[in-house]
Amino acid sequence: MKPVLKLYRGYANENQLLVMGHVFKPTTKADYDFQKTKFRNARSVIRMFRQKTASNFDVYFKHDGRVIHTKTLDDGFFQFCIPLDNDVGYGWITYEVSIKSEGTHVTQKGSYIRPFEGNLGFISDIDDTFLISHSRNIFKKLYILLFKNVNDRKIFSDVVAHYQALSTAGRNNKTEQNAFFYVSSSEWNLYRFIVQFAELHQLPRAVLLLKDIKQSLFDFLITGRGNHDHKFQKIKHILEFYPKLNYTLLGDDSQQDAELYERICKMFPVNVQAVYIRQTGKLPKQKVTIAIQNMSLMGVHTCYFTNSKEAIAHSKSIGLIV
């Protein structure tokens, strides 16, 4: 049996490239099938949270005539942070990663984005921002995750139209899309599901930055919960990595997005131009309203909305989209 290699979308600026992935121990189990239904889907989802990673495993990155070697961390995660010496172009660019062990050789191709020249960047949460997940009700969230496959999961009305408009905002050439990042408290275990869901609904192609991988049934039961500070750190990293972009942040009020975005606005008072927070309950939350008011007083365009039509109208009113 061969070890399992999984690659995630990477990203680059004019000086540096980051690509990442996981290596898992060999398994006889089939990979997660997003078309399975009911209990077969539940079994596959639980299996994703029990797959064992391979630590200190040799990984080789091949790109632009270079081959670079590293090893996986204790949780099977690897990341190549590489200086860019040549102009590799713009848009989505292909790279190759290989793993080798005891006569086995596994190779996969991945992709990373080097954003086209422009001044807009977009960072969005996932659960209850565009993917209906019921994060405020842990039992309902787990039920949906277990028993609803990718075709059965729901997306909020008009969110696709909003995101598609944002992805080409400010561009005369509609084939050149703005940089999009999906940052979530969901774990890397759910990466492929999120990618396929986004593709199914024609959401903008994005770099995903998720939480550390989980490897036990208990971890599955608390998926997406706990400390959300990792989201703050990842968003902070993106703004530092692309300091010349003006960002729009999109989230919801089921967790702590508004408070996290307020912290970001205070640290980067020039870079954030707009914040959108979806209201998931019947009434607005006082803490969210206070955070929204604070960001507005800092000159950030804010919108606390219940339907994406409101967000679209707001984006048009501030000239973000046409």
Side-chain angles (χ1 to χ4, degrees):
M1 293 188 295
K2 294 183 178 181
V4 179
L5 170 64
K6 294 192 176 180
L7 302 180
Y8 311 131
R9 293 168 183 161
Y11 50 102
N13 57 24
E14 61 271 18
N15 300 313
Q16 190 177 35
L17 164 64
L18 282 80
V19 298
M20 65 207 94
H22 274 98
V23 178
F24 296 90
K25 293 180 179 179
T27 177
T28 57
K29 305 296 184 182
D31 206 353
Y32 177 50
D33 182 353
F34 300 101
Q35 310 303 320
K36 290 181 178 179
T37 59
K38 302 299 182 182
F39 288 100
R40 295 178 65 193
N41 182 78
R43 183 174 60 185
S44 293
V45 171
I46 292 172
R47 188 180 297 152
M48 285 195 303
F49 282 83
R50 301 185 69 181
Q51 195 170 5
K52 301 304 179 183
T53 57
S55 64
N56 204 39
F57 208 94
D58 290 304
V59 186
Y60 299 85
F61 171 79
K62 183 178 180 181
H63 175 61
D64 196 31
R66 304 169 68 189
V67 177
I68 300 171
H69 169 237
T70 192
K71 288 177 175 284
T72 59
L73 301 174
D74 290 344
D75 64 351
F77 184 77
F78 64 86
Q79 180 170 287
F80 291 90
C81 301
I82 303 167
L84 281 179
D85 300 323
N86 301 322
D87 185 353
V88 296
Y90 298 95
W92 289 97
I93 301 167
T94 300
Y95 67 90
E96 185 177 286
V97 167
S98 299
I99 53 176
K100 302 175 184 179
S101 175
E102 300 178 357
T104 64
H105 185 189
V106 178
T107 299
Q108 281 191 21
K109 290 186 176 180
S111 60
Y112 68 89
I113 189 171
R114 186 181 177 209
F116 290 99
E117 293 181 345
N119 62 353
L120 297 178
F122 298 89
I123 301 173
S124 174
D125 181 47
I126 297 172
D127 289 318
D128 291 317
T129 298
F130 61 77
L131 170 63
I132 299 176
S133 303
H134 300 282
S135 297
R136 298 165 70 242
N137 185 331
I138 182 60
F139 298 106
K140 192 168 186 178
K141 178 180 179 180
L142 289 175
Y143 174 82
I144 291 172
L145 181 60
L146 285 170
F147 298 109
K148 300 290 185 181
N149 69 17
V150 70
N151 296 309
D152 295 329
R153 294 296 298 271
K154 303 299 183 183
I155 194 167
F156 288 103
S157 299
D158 299 306
V159 71
V160 173
H162 190 207
Y163 279 44
Q164 287 180 345
L166 295 175
S167 71
T168 56
R171 296 196 175 275
N172 294 322
N173 182 356
K174 297 304 182 182
T175 62
E176 295 184 2
Q177 296 187 344
N178 296 310
F180 244 95
F181 296 84
Y182 299 147
V183 181
S184 173
S185 290
S186 292
E187 296 82 4
W188 286 112
N189 308 67
L190 296 172
Y191 177 86
R192 288 184 58 243
F193 170 84
I194 297 168
V195 167
Q196 186 158 341
F197 181 86
E199 291 175 347
L200 181 65
H201 292 279
Q202 297 182 320
L203 287 163
R205 189 178 185 185
V207 175
L208 275 68
L209 297 175
L210 306 179
K211 206 170 184 179
D212 290 348
I213 201 160
K214 305 300 183 185
Q215 300 181 69
S216 73
L217 184 58
F218 174 77
D219 288 330
F220 165 72
L221 294 175
I222 58 171
T223 177
R225 301 182 71 83
N227 192 321
H228 298 283
D229 193 62
H230 84 100
K231 288 173 65 175
F232 171 79
Q233 296 298 335
K234 287 180 169 61
I235 295 170
K236 176 175 174 286
H237 163 72
I238 294 169
L239 270 69
E240 291 171 340
F241 197 76
Y242 298 108
K244 296 181 181 180
L245 295 181
N246 295 316
Y247 290 89
T248 295
L249 311 179
L250 304 106
D252 63 87
D253 68 2
S254 67
Q255 295 176 330
Q256 301 168 17
D257 290 347
E259 295 92 325
L260 292 178
Y261 294 172
E262 182 186 0
R263 291 169 63 192
I264 290 293
C265 290
K266 289 177 177 178
M267 289 188 64
F268 299 89
V270 175
N271 295 87
V272 181
Q273 66 173 344
V275 169
Y276 291 86
I277 300 294
R278 182 183 297 280
Q279 180 182 317
T280 57
K282 294 182 179 180
L283 298 173
K285 293 185 175 181
Q286 184 178 10
K287 285 186 177 180
V288 175
T289 300
I290 292 172
I292 289 286
Q293 290 173 346
N294 285 339
M295 288 183 280
S296 296
L297 291 173
M298 288 185 280
V300 178
H301 298 289
T302 58
C303 182
Y304 191 13
F305 65 97
T306 56
N307 188 288
S308 288
K309 286 184 179 179
E310 301 168 55
I312 292 172
H314 180 273
S315 294
K316 291 180 178 178
S317 71
I318 65 173
L320 184 57
I321 62 176
V322 295

